[in-house]
Amino acid sequence: LGGGDGFNGDSSGYNGGQFITSIADLGPFFPGDEVQLLFLGAWDEGARGASPNWEVDSVLVETLPDTDGDGMHDEYEDANGLSRLVDVAAGDLDGDSVSNLNEFLNGTDPDDPDSDDDSLSDGVETGTGVFVSPMDTGSNPLRADSDGDQLVDSVETGDGVFTSPSATGSDPNIVDTDDDGIPDG
């Protein structure tokens, strides 16, 4: 809140005595997960008005419908051309070796084998942050330049040998692979 704009006056609808509904879309969550909500209100003691300045009337937690019980809500399945009536969790719509369910959980596009357009398949970008091999780069499938060194992940081959600008040998998860104080890019 520090440095934020000040507001002086009543919010729209304040004198009407009606509650304002705020909606937060969170998740995905799994059975047994714990969720903690923190409400932050900011006002000063000189606030005016007859109604309470800020009040939580209720909190409602809802899950989105998952007709087929495959772990992906119906709205997501509809938006991505997946069946809401048949369990398609183990399927692989885009053929990138990542299941539809894992694409949902990872936030990658189930209909695009290269969600971040870095010329590496989502299936090899495992997101672990550790380069194992060209088939397990550890890079982030949602960022074309996982380590932010100005080199696209696909040119960072991770083998330690520079052969060309398109095969740098650097690690896509480490900004300064050779630890010389200069970013790889």
Side-chain angles (χ1 to χ4, degrees):
L1 296 171
D5 291 337
F7 174 77
N8 185 1
D10 294 336
S11 298
S12 177
Y14 176 78
N15 290 321
Q18 299 296 314
F19 287 103
I20 298 169
T21 299
S22 297
I23 298 173
D25 186 8
L26 309 172
F29 297 106
F30 303 95
D33 285 354
E34 292 185 23
V35 178
Q36 194 173 40
L37 301 175
L38 173 68
F39 296 95
L40 175 65
W43 54 87
D44 85 33
E45 59 277 353
R48 59 192 173 92
S51 300
N53 290 316
W54 196 78
E55 179 179 337
V56 175
D57 180 49
S58 65
V59 174
L60 174 66
V61 177
E62 294 180 311
T63 57
L64 297 173
D66 179 11
T67 302
D68 55 17
D70 62 3
M72 298 174 286
H73 58 78
D74 294 348
E75 184 179 305
Y76 174 84
E77 289 181 305
D78 289 345
N80 289 287
L82 300 169
S83 173
R84 68 167 45 195
L85 302 174
V86 177
D87 182 340
V88 293
D92 182 7
L93 183 64
D94 57 13
D96 62 2
S97 299
V98 180
S99 72
N100 295 328
L101 178 60
N102 283 332
E103 296 259 20
F104 170 71
L105 297 173
N106 296 341
T108 52
D109 186 340
D111 198 28
D112 181 352
D114 181 11
S115 295
D116 60 5
D117 296 323
D118 65 356
S119 299
L120 290 176
S121 164
D122 292 346
V124 303
E125 293 197 85
T126 56
T128 63
V130 177
F131 185 93
V132 175
S133 73
M135 298 309 295
D136 180 356
T137 64
S139 55
N140 184 337
L142 296 172
R143 293 187 60 198
D145 179 11
S146 293
D147 57 11
D149 64 1
Q150 306 301 311
L151 293 174
V152 176
D153 292 342
S154 60
V155 304
E156 297 196 74
T157 55
D159 60 9
V161 179
F162 178 89
T163 57
S164 73
S166 61
T168 64
S170 56
D171 187 318
N173 305 294
I174 302 173
V175 173
D176 180 10
T177 303
D178 61 4
D179 202 26
D180 65 358
I182 302 170
D184 295 334

